[in-house]
Amino acid sequence: MTAHSSPVWLISGCSTGFGRELAQQTIARGFKVVVTARDTSSIADLVEGHDNALAVALDVTHQASIDQAVKTALDRFGTIDVLVNNAGYGYQSSVEEGVESEIRAQFDANVFGLFALTRAVLPAMRKARSGHVINITSVAGLIGFASSGYYSASKHAVEGWSDSLALEAGPLGIRVTCVEPGPFAPIGPDAPCIRRRATLPDYAETAAARMKATAEYSGTQKGDPARAATAMIAITEHDNPPRHLVMGAWGHDAVTSKLKERLAEIEAWKQTSVETDFPE
């Protein structure tokens, strides 16, 4: 990523979850860290007493807020070496019962806000010919789950976009990693999530059943956010960081199983695929 002994990190969504844990660990290591949240009172404790850290208000759904946060970071530290796109939230409903305004609001935060913040940071990384963009997606960005159709769609969008960004920015010295957590224990309050109960009887055994199951295991997840944050820091210091970093044993097994299943199906239908070309 960078030869700097004290790289500059900008992390979105630091009031809770991975963002908060990352902020704590990077600050403790002496890195220069721009800690952000919509309400800076929720992150004031993270930067108190630390000259290497700065708390900045950031709402990724508003361009003016993004522009001001990035300007403040650059004015204070001169560059941005690592951008962690962590801001966002979950949404659970059956596909049919999703609420249009809520779906669009989630995409504004999870997708379009992430795109906009990255666009604002890229000029500094291009100038330095160095940088690392870490996008916190989810196992749901690689696998669709009942009751998580819209959340999965938002994370799938970031995964595909990240593939393109990696191809464009890679030759400029900018690395791109998607971090795909499976079930992780929450830090503080449960991660923000809008839930619309599946009420249609036809979805009782699919969307409704999974929503019930996820509610029941909340708080018992095996993923350790502290270890996840340590792993994310480690990849920024690696000469060849991964494009994808699935987190947690459950997530690893689920993703690899799904990819094998998908490849087998594609190969099974290869003849039909190739026959759609014009004849030789």
Side-chain angles (χ1 to χ4, degrees), residues 140-190:
L142 301 171
I143 304 172
F145 297 103
S147 81
S148 293
Y150 296 106
Y151 177 71
S152 293
S154 73
K155 297 303 186 179
H156 273 71
V158 173
E159 291 280 350
W161 176 86
S162 297
D163 283 338
S164 295
L165 177 62
L167 291 172
E168 295 173 2
L172 307 177
I174 301 168
R175 311 294 182 86
V176 180
T177 298
C178 283
V179 172
E180 296 114 352
F184 267 73
I187 301 175
D190 285 341

Side-chain angles (χ1 to χ4, degrees), residues 242-258:
R243 248 302 281 118
H244 299 275
L245 181 63
V246 181
M247 290 194 166
W250 183 92
H252 178 273
D253 291 347
V255 168
T256 54
S257 176
K258 183 66 174 181

Side-chain angles (χ1 to χ4, degrees), residues 1-268:
M1 171 204 70
T2 176
H4 302 334
S5 60
S6 180
V8 180
W9 286 57
L10 191 159
I11 308 168
S12 70
C14 293
S15 60
T16 187
F18 289 118
R20 188 172 185 84
E21 186 63 46
L22 263 174
Q24 290 174 328
Q25 291 196 27
T26 50
I27 291 169
R29 289 180 184 227
F31 299 167
K32 298 169 184 175
V33 187
V34 182
V35 181
T36 72
R38 285 178 295 178
D39 179 3
T40 54
S41 67
S42 67
I43 55 174
D45 62 305
L46 291 171
V47 303
E48 186 176 0
H50 297 284
D51 293 337
N52 59 314
L54 180 67
V56 176
L58 173 60
D59 182 343
V60 298
T61 66
H62 289 87
Q63 188 65 51
S65 179
I66 290 172
D67 293 340
Q68 184 59 52
V70 172
K71 181 179 184 302
T72 300
L74 294 175
D75 287 346
R76 173 68 176 272
F77 295 124
T79 191
I80 297 170
D81 297 302
V82 181
L83 168 64
V84 181
N85 282 308
N86 174 67
Y89 60 92
Y91 189 89
Q92 281 193 310
S93 73
S94 68
V95 168
E96 185 174 345
E97 295 168 286
V99 177
E100 182 72 11
S101 60
E102 294 172 349
I103 296 163
R104 289 182 178 273
Q106 185 205 223
F107 268 73
D108 280 341
N110 290 14
V111 181
F112 298 117
L114 181 151
F115 292 173
L117 179 56
T118 307
R119 287 197 303 269
V121 170
L122 281 173
M125 290 186 173
R126 280 195 297 106
K127 181 180 179 182
R129 284 301 193 263
S130 176
H132 199 150
V133 177
I134 297 177
N135 296 323
I136 310 296
T137 68
S138 169
V139 167
L142 301 171
I143 304 172
F145 297 103
S147 81
S148 293
Y150 296 106
Y151 177 71
S152 293
S154 73
K155 297 303 186 179
H156 273 71
V158 173
E159 291 280 350
W161 176 86
S162 297
D163 283 338
S164 295
L165 177 62
L167 291 172
E168 295 173 2
L172 307 177
I174 301 168
R175 311 294 182 86
V176 180
T177 298
C178 283
V179 172
E180 296 114 352
F184 267 73
I187 301 175
D190 285 341
C193 182
I194 293 175
R195 293 178 175 87
R196 289 292 173 189
R197 190 166 63 90
T199 60
L200 295 173
D202 284 343
Y203 301 127
E205 301 304 316
T206 52
R210 182 170 182 272
M211 290 178 74
K212 181 176 183 292
T214 56
E216 288 175 347
Y217 74 59
S218 180
T220 66
Q221 300 94 325
K222 292 185 177 181
D224 180 349
R227 291 190 177 196
T230 300
M232 283 186 259
I233 294 169
I235 65 171
T236 68
E237 299 170 339
H238 199 282
D239 291 337
N240 186 28
R243 248 302 281 118
H244 299 275
L245 181 63
V246 181
M247 290 194 166
W250 183 92
H252 178 273
D253 291 347
V255 168
T256 54
S257 176
K258 183 66 174 181
L259 291 176
K260 290 174 182 177
E261 174 188 308
R262 184 172 298 169
L263 180 59
E265 181 181 61
I266 290 170
E267 288 297 324

